[in-house]
Amino acid sequence: MTRITRTAALVALAMPLAATAQDSNWEGEAELGLLVTTGNSEETNLKGRLGLVHETESWRNIGEFRSAYTEAEDETTAERYRAEAETDYKFSENQFWFLRGFWENDRFSGYDFRSSATTGYGHRVWELGDDSFLDLSAGVGYRFNKLEEPDDDGNRDEDEAIARLAGQFDFALSDNALFRQKLASEIGLDENNVITESETSVQASVIGDLSLKLAYRVTHVSDAPPDSEDTDTETSLSLLYGF
């Protein structure tokens, strides 16, 4: 299977899901574009993403699925799959309790996979209209990662309690353009390994339900696996289909 068909397969899932979304008041977006990475994988590859949101007066449910794949001369040079889901219970107008799960398999990160589950408190500290807001959250949970190679003590498993701090800032630049900044840190309470992710993006409507998105993403691991870089960056340009 070529890199195009592997990555596009994720976005193709949006077709039946879009119909389901329209019938059940879900909203979402499918994304396909070019991704330039530095760090453990320095490649230009294809990026696929599917995001879903369902919101009621008391609940907000969020799901996101990502993939990136590159193959050159019959050799895989980049391969990443990621899934995360969060459910928020809104117990007041601007306050919520969250439960979040995360899993990622990045073939060239030094990890066989990374995963975590966290829960905690969130607060919408600022809001202007429907598209501009600032959410901050803090919580605790558990992280389980598996290394590709054993560490100096012969262990492949990394498991520990963690604290999670996160924020999301959305600002409507106009009726058709949106700036978004996401920042999150998961802090190990035993081994003190801190994994921080930042994503800055701007998207603008092109025509109808299609938008153009430019994004820059940074992942930093304070105690990276042996022979791995501690910082990965991603720069992407993609098309979004909203439904």
Side-chain angles (χ1 to χ4, degrees):
M1 184 179 292
T2 68
R3 63 177 180 174
I4 295 176
T5 53
R6 287 197 184 199
T7 305
L10 177 68
V11 179
L13 291 173
M15 300 303 290
L17 285 171
T20 302
Q22 293 172 354
D23 293 338
S24 60
N25 296 320
W26 284 78
E27 293 183 355
E29 55 188 20
E31 180 177 348
L32 181 64
L34 290 176
L35 179 69
V36 179
T37 63
T38 66
N40 290 293
S41 177
E42 299 191 2
E43 300 288 342
T44 299
N45 46 50
L46 286 178
K47 167 189 178 180
R49 174 180 163 271
L50 178 64
L52 296 171
V53 178
H54 179 255
E55 189 158 2
T56 66
E57 183 177 352
S58 299
W59 293 93
R60 177 170 53 241
N61 302 297
I62 304 168
E64 187 170 271
F65 312 90
R66 298 171 178 258
S67 73
Y69 185 83
T70 298
E71 184 178 286
E73 298 179 355
D74 296 326
E75 180 180 356
T76 300
T77 55
E79 186 174 12
R80 182 186 307 108
Y81 305 99
R82 178 187 179 110
E84 51 191 307
E86 179 175 321
T87 184
D88 301 335
Y89 172 65
K90 296 179 281 186
F91 57 86
S92 75
E93 183 178 359
N94 295 314
Q95 300 179 83
F96 58 92
W97 194 265
F98 73 87
L99 177 64
R100 179 182 183 273
F102 159 82
W103 175 88
E104 181 182 71
N105 182 342
D106 186 345
R107 184 171 173 181
F108 297 93
S109 67
Y111 289 104
D112 188 20
F113 67 83
R114 295 195 294 124
S115 65
S116 67
T118 51
T119 185
Y121 168 79
H123 189 188
R124 179 154 291 185
V125 298
W126 175 79
E127 186 173 20
L128 180 64
D130 295 330
D131 299 322
S132 299
F133 63 85
L134 173 62
D135 282 352
L136 300 177
S137 62
V140 294
Y142 178 79
R143 175 165 65 204
F144 182 78
N145 302 335
K146 184 173 285 293
L147 298 167
E148 287 187 349
E149 301 293 338
D151 59 19
D152 294 337
D153 297 324
N155 298 319
R156 290 188 60 202
D157 295 346
E158 291 184 348
D159 57 312
E160 61 179 329
I162 58 174
R164 176 178 171 84
L165 302 173
Q168 178 174 329
F169 174 65
D170 280 19
F171 185 75
L173 301 172
S174 70
D175 291 339
N176 299 315
L178 177 70
F179 170 84
R180 173 171 293 164
Q181 174 65 56
K182 292 183 177 180
L183 180 64
S185 287
E186 292 187 346
I187 306 160
L189 301 180
D190 297 326
E191 302 297 330
N192 298 317
N193 189 15
V194 180
I195 299 178
T196 300
E197 295 184 338
S198 170
E199 182 178 80
T200 306
S201 65
V202 177
Q203 65 184 66
S205 176
V206 177
I207 183 172
D209 294 325
L210 284 178
S211 299
L212 190 65
K213 178 181 176 182
L214 177 64
Y216 180 70
R217 186 180 185 92
V218 180
T219 301
H220 178 76
V221 181
S222 65
D223 187 11
D227 301 322
S228 297
E229 299 290 338
D230 60 9
T231 302
D232 289 318
T233 71
E234 301 176 358
T235 304
S236 62
L237 180 64
S238 53
L239 278 176
L240 292 179
Y241 168 67
F243 53 87

